[in-house]
Amino acid sequence: MSNGEYRHVWRIVFRNFINSFRPRQIRGNHIGKDYIGNMYYEIPANPSMGKRKASRWYDPPKGLDFQDPIPAEWESWLRMRRVEPPTQEEIEKNLAIAELKKINAAKLEQQRLAEGGSLPAAVERGPQSFPKYPDYHGGDPENKYKNT
């Protein structure tokens, strides 16, 4: 391995090993910010360098973590379901629709309670809730197959 093109392989391996301990400096283009405070970034695709897909990610604000939900518009952008990031008008329109749905649901609930409605009862579950058929007998009631 000390000849020709393989001469510097160990030097390359060692250099890559040392560089793996250094923190990566990823700088992406700032794309936008949502109403929660999440900041969204993207590194665009560059086919000339072999990068066929864009890299997209977000940074939550301090105090929040990645387990908190993000708006549906931004999530679809992060998962490459949409090409363009959501506009502020689109986000405001969707928030207004969600607020209208909450108001309408509260009105329907008040109307249901005014008519004397109650909450639906939970279905009781247990061994009696399963159907029983006269020609089917579960198990081995006569212990025919019991190992003795």
Side-chain angles (χ1 to χ4, degrees):
M1 277 200 41
S2 62
N3 297 349
E5 63 188 63
Y6 299 109
R7 185 174 197 150
H8 303 288
V9 170
W10 292 110
R11 185 184 312 166
I12 294 168
V13 169
F14 183 71
R15 184 175 48 223
N16 288 341
F17 176 73
I18 297 299
N19 288 340
S20 69
F21 291 110
R22 295 185 183 146
R24 294 185 338 172
Q25 299 295 325
I26 298 177
R27 300 229 187 258
N29 301 331
H30 177 72
I31 300 298
K33 183 177 179 179
D34 63 9
Y35 57 89
I36 299 172
N38 297 323
M39 305 287 282
Y40 297 90
Y41 300 95
E42 177 183 41
I43 297 176
N46 189 353
S48 65
M49 293 179 56
K51 186 171 169 41
R52 295 186 299 169
K53 291 174 80 176
S55 298
R56 297 175 178 173
W57 71 94
Y58 75 101
D59 288 331
K62 295 219 183 258
L64 297 178
D65 60 359
F66 289 100
Q67 299 299 320
D68 295 330
I70 62 174
E73 301 90 3
W74 282 107
E75 183 172 1
S76 64
W77 178 78
L78 284 172
R79 294 178 182 259
M80 308 288 185
R81 292 186 195 130
R82 60 186 297 166
V83 177
E84 296 296 321
T87 62
Q88 191 63 30
E89 295 81 27
E90 179 183 0
I91 293 171
E92 289 172 359
K93 182 182 111 181
N94 289 343
L95 281 174
I97 290 171
E99 197 63 36
L100 183 63
K101 286 181 180 181
K102 287 180 187 176
I103 293 169
N104 288 341
K107 286 179 185 176
L108 286 173
E109 183 68 16
Q110 288 176 352
Q111 179 184 0
R112 186 184 61 78
L113 291 175
E115 293 172 354
S118 62
L119 293 175
V123 178
E124 290 194 28
R125 305 252 182 216
Q128 291 78 21
S129 67
F130 292 101
K132 295 181 181 174
Y133 302 104
D135 55 341
Y136 175 73
H137 302 286
D140 185 22
E142 290 137 18
N143 293 329
K144 287 187 214 174
Y145 303 104
K146 184 176 180 183
N147 293 335
T148 56

